[in-house]
Amino acid sequence: AMTGRVAEGEPMLRRSYRKLVETRGADAAPTHTTAERIAEVLDRAEALVDKRRAALGELTALRQAAFTQLCGDPAKNERGWPRVRLGEVILSAADGPHVSPPYTDDGIPFLSTRHVRPGEILWTDLKWIGPAAAEVLWRRCRPQRGDILYSKGGTTGIAAAVDTDAQFAIWVHLALLKLDRQLVEPLWLEEMLNSPFCHAQAQRLTRGIANRDLGLTRMVQISLFLPPLAMQREFARRRAAIDVLQAAQRASLAELAALFAALQQRAVVTIRRDDREGRGARAEVDGRQVGPHLPGIVAAVARVALAELAVRVVTPGVDPAIGGACQRVKFTTGHIRHDLAAQSTAHHHRHG
């Protein structure tokens, strides 16, 4: 029966549909078989989205392992690289305005701490300022390709290299680091600053409780090791390859999420329509309304051959962390492919 207490650990969507049936009552609710089948399809689609997110996480681990394999552990410095301060490898460190500029409906993007994630600049949920206001801010600091954004207010100690030529400005809670390119590569320094070793230093140097701040004069004291520039460039090459994979995975995840939302909406609309017509949802609704979306999900996942591409970035087995990350990515992709095969076969049998 579909009434009674919801089972512990049940998938979220199956729980939601059970709750839907419980609140409507047996007469108005869709049949047990149909509701279960709709929930099962949605659960499978949600599982594919979760696996795509897991693959993205493994690529992040792969990036960190590549750094350690090439350069060593920043905390241990077992290879004996020279120790330097952040201030010794940059030309300048500046932050944005301490007073908010007037915002506009469009114009120049104005970034704050929420737009910076480790190794990534987010171009969503933006605020905008006019060109005249931007010109004033750029007299203090003007972001350019190859600079690094480093969070200094609120959430501190997060670095992301600027990889665009688009114009934008930053707020006070972000620092703009201009690098000495004869000493450091942007992607290498970004990874170093995001390492647990440097991030822990940033937290110790952050002052305040309600208004946390990593002052410019303190952040330049962060200690790091400095391997040869050729080694940094080799890491940047590998990192760029991983970034291509991550971009493809994010695009695929966004498409999967959109398809999943369409599945969810179609299923709900179908049940509501059948209720208005005074009859329970029928079994064939699952095939007609939900089934046609499955090939789109299959195609969206199948477009990225993650395991094969990830293994080419570095050689598994050279370092246990590298090999482990590659094997986990391969394992995740194997599960996705297994689900694809099962769903494709089921769809073919149901709909020809």
Side-chain angles (χ1 to χ4, degrees):
M2 296 190 65
T3 57
R5 186 173 182 274
V6 176
E8 294 293 335
E10 242 184 336
M12 178 185 69
L13 288 166
R14 191 175 298 281
R15 292 200 307 269
S16 66
Y17 272 87
R18 285 188 182 276
K19 189 67 175 177
L20 184 67
V21 172
E22 290 172 8
T23 55
R24 290 181 177 184
D27 293 335
T31 65
H32 172 89
T33 301
T34 300
E36 283 292 306
R37 292 178 68 183
I38 290 174
E40 181 183 355
V41 170
L42 289 171
D43 287 344
R44 290 203 304 266
E46 186 180 35
L48 290 177
V49 173
D50 290 342
K51 288 171 184 175
R52 178 63 75 218
R53 290 195 180 100
L56 273 170
E58 297 300 344
L59 281 173
T60 298
L62 184 65
R63 186 182 72 198
Q64 296 166 347
F67 181 90
T68 303
Q69 180 202 26
L70 276 173
C71 307
D73 186 337
K76 298 176 181 177
N77 192 18
E78 63 272 24
R79 303 185 187 181
W81 305 124
R83 287 284 186 186
V84 296
R85 302 288 181 182
L86 177 59
E88 298 178 64
V89 298
I90 63 175
L91 302 176
S92 65
D95 54 14
H98 291 224
V99 178
S100 298
Y103 298 123
T104 58
D105 293 333
D106 54 22
I108 307 297
F110 187 63
L111 273 58
S112 63
T113 304
R114 72 175 182 273
H115 297 108
V116 175
R117 296 290 181 270
E120 182 184 9
I121 299 175
L122 306 180
W123 300 97
T124 56
D125 190 24
L126 293 170
K127 291 187 177 181
W128 308 85
I129 59 176
E135 288 291 346
V136 173
L137 302 185
W138 288 335
R139 295 172 193 168
R140 179 180 179 90
C141 63
R142 184 167 193 157
Q144 296 175 308
R145 182 184 292 273
D147 296 342
I148 286 182
L149 300 183
Y150 196 45
S151 63
K152 61 178 289 287
T155 302
T156 62
I158 305 298
V162 178
D163 61 354
T164 178
D165 294 316
Q167 295 183 330
F168 66 94
I170 61 173
W171 196 36
V172 61
H173 285 170
L174 287 177
L176 182 69
L177 308 181
K178 297 281 186 180
L179 313 187
D180 185 341
R181 296 297 294 273
Q182 295 183 352
L183 296 176
V184 288
E185 277 290 311
L187 289 179
W188 179 87
L189 184 58
E190 173 197 274
E191 196 69 32
M192 170 62 80
L193 290 175
N194 286 328
S195 70
F197 176 68
C198 288
H199 186 263
Q201 293 181 68
Q203 301 316 297
R204 289 195 297 270
L205 293 169
T206 298
R207 301 290 183 265
I209 299 177
N211 297 309
R212 290 166 47 81
D213 179 67
L214 175 60
L216 297 174
T217 58
R218 295 192 298 276
M219 76 170 59
V220 296
Q221 298 303 314
I222 291 175
S223 173
L224 47 98
F225 63 48
L226 190 65
L229 195 57
M231 183 175 291
Q232 297 180 40
R233 288 172 177 162
E234 172 59 20
F235 168 75
R237 184 191 68 79
R238 299 187 185 190
R239 162 65 190 278
I242 296 173
D243 285 349
V244 171
L245 292 175
Q246 286 186 312
Q249 290 296 299
R250 290 190 185 100
S252 180
L253 176 60
E255 189 172 359
L256 273 173
L259 287 167
F260 173 67
L263 273 171
Q264 192 176 29
Q265 180 65 23
R266 182 67 64 88
V268 172
V269 168
T270 296
I271 291 176
R272 287 174 178 168
R273 186 194 65 213
D274 289 337
D275 282 348
R276 286 197 302 269
E277 294 175 0
R279 56 185 174 84
R282 298 183 179 178
E284 61 265 24
V285 168
D286 183 41
R288 293 178 183 175
Q289 303 295 337
V290 179
H293 290 276
L294 289 178
I297 292 180
V298 171
V301 181
R303 272 195 282 271
V304 181
L306 175 60
E308 289 79 3
L309 289 173
V311 171
R312 293 176 193 170
V313 177
V314 291
T315 304
V318 173
D319 180 91
I322 293 287
C326 286
Q327 290 303 315
R328 288 192 299 274
V329 171
K330 186 175 182 180
F331 175 80
T332 300
T333 308
H335 271 265
I336 291 175
R337 287 176 176 169
H338 175 77
D339 284 354
L340 291 179
Q343 292 191 32
S344 180
T345 301
H347 178 76
H348 176 74
H349 288 327
R350 290 180 185 176
H351 309 291

